[in-house]
Amino acid sequence: MKFFADTAEIAEIRELADLGLLDGVTTNPSLVQKSGRDFIEVLKEIVKICPGPISAEVVALDYATMMREAEVLRKVAKNIAVKVPLTPDGLKACKALTGDGTMVNVTLCFSAGQALLAAKAGASFISPFVGRLDDVGFDGMQLIGDVRMIYDNYDFATQILVASVRHPIHVIEAAKIGADVITAPPKIIQQLFKHPLTDVGIANFLKDWQATGQKIG
Ligand code: G3P
């Protein structure tokens, strides 16, 4: 399973990259707004830190303008994945861009039918938003299971990129289902390290080691 960081904060991206845990980055207009930075400038920095796919979202809603925006975004670097919304124009742009060799991440997916359409449009990634589904009383992980089954039935190459991840259990459930990628705020990826028994175990080993009076090296 690949880990993408869902953030536009350079320091957080660098920290995960330094740990060797970063396979890609996803951004969206809200994350760019939160960073307070110029979108293209931030992208230029991210692509230097992480060689994996870096999702950059178009904001236009019509095909022609989406394609113009995609042109600007994909010029930033070869590893940019243009992010388009799951709309008829978005999928038309997806087909044109992937046909041209550009990676495309189809975002704002909330149903299996939408995921099927994205795969047929040749999407490199489909982004079902599990947290936002859970928020309104649907089962986000059920959608991941359904999409996995549909894609496997037809050998679709589109990768399932689980988005709107809110806690470590989302990551574990997505891995159990066999999702290809999760994108999560870096703090959630860091939370996967945490277990109270690990902390207690380290403290006890250190105490016992000190009692031996020994040193390594
Ligand atoms: O990048 C898309 C997605 O991960 C957004 O998550 O937490 O705003 O629902 P959230």
Side-chain angles (χ1 to χ4, degrees), residues 6-7 26-28 30-31 57 83 105 107-108 127-132 135 161-166 183-185:
D6 199 24
T7 182
T26 53
T27 63
N28 64 38
S30 305
L31 293 170
E57 191 159 340
K83 214 168 169 186
N105 176 357
T107 190
L108 292 164
S127 290
F129 279 28
V130 293
R132 291 192 196 184
D135 287 347
L161 195 171
V162 179
S164 190
V165 164
R166 300 280 167 76
T183 188

Side-chain angles (χ1 to χ4, degrees), residues 95-117:
K95 186 113 196 160
L97 290 164
T98 53
D100 212 12
T102 300
M103 286 185 287
V104 176
N105 176 357
V106 176
T107 190
L108 292 164
C109 170
F110 295 96
S111 77
Q114 290 179 322
L116 179 57
L117 289 173

Side-chain angles (χ1 to χ4, degrees), residues 38-215:
D38 177 83
F39 184 26
I40 301 296
E41 288 308 310
V42 170
L43 285 179
K44 283 181 179 165
E45 287 180 38
I46 298 174
V47 296
K48 276 193 217 142
I49 301 168
C50 180
I54 311 299
S55 290
E57 191 159 340
V58 298
V59 289
L61 296 178
D62 67 285
Y63 171 76
T65 321
M66 270 185 203
M67 291 301 286
R68 278 202 295 278
E69 291 180 354
E71 197 49 43
V72 174
L73 297 174
R74 69 179 174 175
K75 266 198 189 125
V76 172
K78 278 207 172 70
N79 57 334
I80 290 287
V82 176
K83 214 168 169 186
V84 299
L86 212 153
T87 61
D89 283 56
L91 292 194
K92 197 174 154 190
C94 172
K95 186 113 196 160
L97 290 164
T98 53
D100 212 12
T102 300
M103 286 185 287
V104 176
N105 176 357
V106 176
T107 190
L108 292 164
C109 170
F110 295 96
S111 77
Q114 290 179 322
L116 179 57
L117 289 173
K120 285 185 68 64
S124 320
F125 302 99
I126 181 68
S127 290
F129 279 28
V130 293
R132 291 192 196 184
L133 277 169
D134 292 353
D135 287 347
V136 293
F138 288 85
D139 184 348
M141 273 308 145
Q142 177 66 48
L143 173 59
I144 302 304
D146 289 348
V147 178
R148 180 74 283 159
M149 186 195 293
I150 291 167
Y151 283 10
D152 288 351
N153 282 348
Y154 296 97
D155 283 334
F156 282 123
T158 303
Q159 294 187 50
I160 302 173
L161 195 171
V162 179
S164 190
V165 164
R166 300 280 167 76
H167 46 69
I169 301 296
H170 273 152
V171 180
I172 292 155
E173 290 300 321
K176 281 158 75 176
I177 291 166
D180 303 282
V181 190
I182 56 100
T183 188
K187 79 163 194 296
I188 291 172
I189 297 173
Q190 302 273 6
Q191 279 170 4
L192 291 168
F193 277 104
K194 301 284 178 206
H195 197 287
L197 291 179
T198 304
D199 298 338
V200 170
I202 288 173
N204 284 338
F205 282 153
L206 280 182
K207 183 167 62 67
D208 293 342
W209 179 249
Q210 271 159 14
T212 71
Q214 298 181 49
K215 274 197 176 139

